[in-house]
Amino acid sequence: MKFPCLGCHDQAQHCGGCPASNENSPSELKKILLVGNPNVGKSAVFTRLTGVHAISSNFPGTTISFTQGNLRHEGQNYVIIDVPGTYTLNPTNEAEEVAKRIIEEDSDIVIIVLDAGALERNLYLALQVLELGKRAIVALNMVDEARHKGIEINIEALEKALGVPVVPTVALSGRGIKNLVNRLKEARKSHITPQSDEDRWKTIGNIIAQTQKAHHRHHTVKDRLEDITVHPLWGALFGIAVIVASYYAVRQIGEGIINYILDPIFSTFVLPLLEALSRSMNPQGFMHSLLLGTLINGTLDFEQSFGLLTTGLYVPLVMVLPYIFAFYTVLSLLEDSGYLPRLAVLFDSLMHRLGLHGFAIVPNLLGLGCNVPGILATRVLESPRERFIASTLISVAVPCAGLQAMIFGALGSFGGKYVAMVYGTLAVAWIVLGRVLNALLPGYSPELIIEIPPYRVPSLRGLGLKLWFRIRGFLIEAIPLVLFGVLVVNLLYMSGIMNVISNLLEPFFNIVLGLPASTAGPIILGLLRKDVAVGMLLPLNLTPQQMVITVVMLSMTFPCIATFIVLFRELGAKKMLYSLGIMLTTAILFGFMLRLFFLLA
């Protein structure tokens, strides 16, 4: 039997999402069989290897189904067949007959999944498969449960006895899966030859005597913590609590640094120098506008003047850097303690449905503090496709801390339900846009294959070094980009181009979105600073419904200039323009839908 390619179901032609047609690697498609007894965690191993990209088909001429998925590793493409669970290759029912036929067909590698807590029972099928002369590797699964039972297995002795590599795994959490994938190239034929049923059981007895010890063992607090934090329900609740606590910590640390350290430094030492420079220059002159920006009520304002030496330095150093420091401190603690990989595993299923994998929760979480580090953090994602989707989602539907503060300030007086409408709309946009991009963009998201480390106490020296390298990278990359962006926008304003754009958009805002023409200016200003633009809506006397539409559109349209420049740096000019087109389309669509909703409500 020939197995069709995932997605295209075509044995001759391959679809764009099939690894066999991956333009970046024309390598031959190899077939891996996943074999094991029922209830050994084989399906969990399959999911870890292939993500959510799997199809289920009936074996020809039967009602028995098998599942097929894809894996790409180190330039090699694999199709993985999850063989129906069976206890033996001496079939007693139709499912075991199908399993026997699949196993006996040609394959490149067989992964034999064993339950570490029931090794003796599992070894019978394993020996039968090895006797066929297949290139094999063993995934010794559920070693955590075996350890809890007091069962210790000598991995090296088991490898020697079976004659093939043995990798301990915990498929539920993903522990050991990365090592399993890395060792696929070591799969080999066993020295075990065909034997009688009686001799096979004697061999199993000898293997157990050589490799397994059992003793009574109590669960430790660490054991219970590891179990809870990867549990589908309790682990998810624990993960949500960690995200909320992390977000709160980032906000408090970031705002504390701004309010009590950096703002006073700039106000006390930097502002007097810049004001002295301003008095020595013509306030209406070109160089004053370029270097210091516009005077606000007769004085320089770091947030609104928009000069290279005012806003150009203030935004990255005072408004962004503290959140960078705060977030990377929290992130490093989560990484070094061993929890971050567990968080990624818990969110992997949701993120895969958006075309991402579990680690995408990190950039999205960081984007709630500031979109700039959020987009920079998309580098943890493996493929350009994932980085494009994540960066676009952050820019469209993840409001930064400054914007969130202004959302509450602008809508809070109208009632909590209007604030909830804004966040609800952004959440819907995040999910819907992610699903749409995942469906339309060619390719597929790589599966999440990570090693789950044990919990450990973070090293202060390690935390300090990691934090320094990350902050240094931000300073080197972001500050020049922000300064360049401020320069470009200044030139647009000084030449009058920005005012022309604002005037052209006024009729559209009035007719399509039901907004007064005066809202066009603040939304265009959102290109510079979204939170300031929201503040400019307050004197316009908008209705609550108009304010919701305007704030949602402002949140979804052009990111602030710092984010805009980082998008250009991370995605390139072409993909950045695609991303901006998606932002505009999404903002107009959701703005129009909100208008219809309010008209019909």
Side-chain angles (χ1 to χ4, degrees):
M1 173 191 176
K2 293 184 180 296
F3 292 94
C5 294
L6 181 67
C8 51
H9 298 266
D10 193 325
Q11 297 171 9
Q13 301 293 325
H14 299 280
C15 67
C18 174
S21 68
N22 192 312
E23 64 277 10
N24 296 322
S25 177
S27 61
E28 179 186 357
L29 191 66
K30 292 187 176 182
K31 184 166 73 173
I32 296 177
L33 301 183
L34 206 58
V35 177
N37 291 176
N39 304 313
V40 297
K42 185 163 56 66
S43 296
V45 173
F46 176 83
T47 301
R48 289 290 167 210
L49 293 174
T50 63
V52 298
H53 295 273
I55 58 173
S56 182
S57 306
N58 284 346
F59 192 84
T62 72
T63 59
I64 304 301
S65 64
F66 65 89
T67 310
Q68 172 186 337
N70 288 317
L71 168 68
R72 175 176 168 79
H73 181 65
E74 294 182 349
Q76 177 61 57
N77 295 313
Y78 301 92
V79 59
I80 300 181
I81 310 298
D82 186 5
V83 179
T86 179
Y87 293 103
T88 174
L89 294 185
N90 303 319
T92 58
N93 55 52
E94 188 178 26
E96 291 182 346
E97 174 65 34
V98 168
K100 179 176 183 292
R101 289 166 60 185
I102 295 177
I103 293 170
E104 290 178 344
E105 290 180 350
D106 290 338
S107 61
D108 296 286
I109 299 173
V110 176
I111 299 177
I112 304 171
V113 183
L114 305 180
D115 179 356
L119 185 59
E120 185 173 9
R121 173 172 56 100
N122 283 219
L123 280 174
Y124 189 87
L125 174 65
L127 292 181
Q128 284 188 309
V129 174
L130 295 176
E131 290 167 13
L132 296 176
K134 302 280 188 179
R135 291 182 64 235
I137 183 171
V138 170
L140 186 65
N141 198 34
M142 296 190 281
V143 291
D144 57 335
E145 293 186 13
R147 186 181 75 250
H148 294 339
K149 296 175 183 177
I151 298 174
E152 294 183 3
I153 298 175
N154 187 322
I155 302 299
E156 293 182 358
L158 186 58
E159 280 194 358
K160 184 177 180 180
L162 296 179
V164 297
V166 176
V167 180
T169 62
V170 182
L172 182 63
S173 67
R175 181 182 302 173
I177 298 298
K178 183 176 182 179
N179 191 29
L180 176 65
V181 174
N182 288 336
R183 296 191 67 183
L184 284 175
K185 56 182 177 292
E186 300 177 27
R188 58 182 179 268
K189 296 180 180 180
S190 172
H191 59 260
I192 295 175
T193 56
Q195 53 192 319
S196 66
D197 187 65
E198 181 178 353
D199 290 338
R200 194 174 294 123
W201 281 113
K202 288 181 180 179
T203 301
I204 291 173
N206 292 332
I207 292 174
I208 294 298
Q210 296 169 14
T211 63
Q212 181 174 290
K213 293 181 180 179
H215 57 84
H216 181 69
R217 181 180 183 278
H218 291 288
H219 283 205
T220 65
V221 174
K222 183 179 176 182
D223 290 335
R224 296 185 185 280
L225 181 62
E226 290 187 351
D227 291 343
I228 290 173
T229 52
V230 296
H231 188 275
L233 174 59
W234 300 115
L237 295 177
F238 188 88
I240 292 172
V242 168
I243 289 175
V244 172
S246 299
Y247 174 62
Y248 181 78
V250 169
R251 286 289 302 274
Q252 293 301 310
I253 295 172
E255 291 175 2
I257 294 174
I258 292 172
N259 295 332
Y260 299 108
I261 299 177
L262 296 181
D263 246 347
I265 289 176
F266 266 66
S267 298
T268 304
F269 300 104
V270 179
L271 183 59
L273 292 176
L274 295 180
E275 287 179 336
L277 179 61
S278 174
R279 288 191 294 270
S280 67
M281 302 172 68
N282 178 8
Q284 307 301 323
F286 175 81
M287 291 306 297
H288 187 284
S289 298
L290 195 64
L291 296 177
L292 301 175
T294 305
L295 294 178
I296 307 297
N297 297 324
T299 62
L300 293 174
D301 186 291
F302 282 118
E303 293 188 27
Q304 300 181 58
S305 290
F306 224 76
L308 290 175
L309 299 180
T310 51
T311 306
L313 292 179
Y314 186 83
V315 168
L317 292 179
V318 179
M319 302 194 69
V320 177
L321 183 59
Y323 290 110
I324 291 280
F325 172 82
F327 182 82
Y328 278 133
T329 299
V330 173
L331 179 65
S332 298
L333 285 171
L334 294 177
E335 283 179 331
D336 292 358
S337 67
Y339 181 70
L340 188 62
R342 291 168 170 84
L343 184 66
V345 166
L346 287 169
F347 282 90
D348 186 47
S349 178
L350 169 63
M351 290 299 177
H352 250 98
R353 285 166 172 78
L354 303 180
L356 307 169
H357 67 43
F359 268 124
I361 194 65
V362 175
N364 280 271
L365 177 60
L366 180 51
L368 290 171
C370 176
N371 283 180
V372 171
I375 292 173
L376 289 174
T378 60
R379 295 176 185 178
V380 303
L381 304 178
E382 297 179 21
S383 69
R385 178 181 185 271
E386 284 184 295
R387 291 192 287 273
F388 177 82
I389 293 175
S391 298
T392 303
L393 290 180
I394 291 170
S395 301
V396 172
V398 179
C400 66
L403 179 58
Q404 291 184 66
M406 293 307 299
I407 290 173
F408 278 94
L411 290 165
S413 60
F414 295 120
K417 69 176 183 178
Y418 294 106
V419 175
M421 284 180 185
V422 172
Y423 279 95
T425 304
L426 293 177
V428 170
W430 187 76
I431 294 172
V432 172
L433 182 58
R435 295 295 299 270
V436 170
L437 292 177
N438 185 36
L440 295 181
L441 293 180
Y444 72 106
S445 299
E447 58 287 333
L448 177 64
I449 299 176
I450 58 174
E451 188 62 32
I452 304 296
Y455 281 116
R456 57 175 66 92
V457 178
S459 161
L460 290 179
R461 182 176 182 275
L463 284 173
L465 287 174
K466 186 179 293 186
L467 193 59
W468 162 243
F469 283 121
R470 285 170 166 170
I471 290 177
R472 186 183 67 174
F474 167 78
L475 293 174
I476 292 173
E477 293 185 0
I479 290 180
L481 293 173
V482 172
L483 289 174
F484 175 74
V486 170
L487 174 63
V488 171
V489 173
N490 260 335
L491 294 176
L492 289 175
Y493 263 103
M494 291 163 65
S495 63
I497 295 177
M498 193 66 75
N499 290 331
V500 172
I501 295 174
S502 178
N503 292 331
L504 288 175
L505 290 177
E506 286 184 4
F508 172 80
F509 276 68
N510 194 284
I511 297 171
V512 177
L513 303 173
L515 300 175
S518 54
T519 58
I523 291 181
I524 293 298
L525 182 64
L527 176 61
L528 313 182
R529 285 290 310 279
K530 288 187 176 182
D531 50 349
V532 174
V534 173
M536 292 179 63
L537 297 174
L538 298 179
L540 301 181
N541 296 318
L542 301 178
T543 66
Q545 294 80 5
Q546 288 176 327
M547 185 68 82
V548 169
I549 295 172
T550 310
V551 169
V552 166
M553 289 197 64
L554 186 58
S555 301
M556 292 183 176
T557 48
F558 295 105
C560 68
I561 190 63
T563 307
F564 184 91
I565 297 301
V566 172
L567 274 175
F568 174 78
R569 172 66 177 80
E570 295 299 307
L571 300 180
K574 185 177 180 180
K575 289 186 177 180
M576 180 203 68
L577 292 175
Y578 287 155
S579 183
L580 291 178
I582 292 169
M583 292 177 206
L584 283 173
T585 303
T586 304
I588 293 171
L589 179 61
F590 274 85
F592 182 67
M593 291 173 62
L594 281 172
R595 186 193 181 193
L596 292 180
F597 171 78
F598 288 128
L599 287 175
L600 298 175

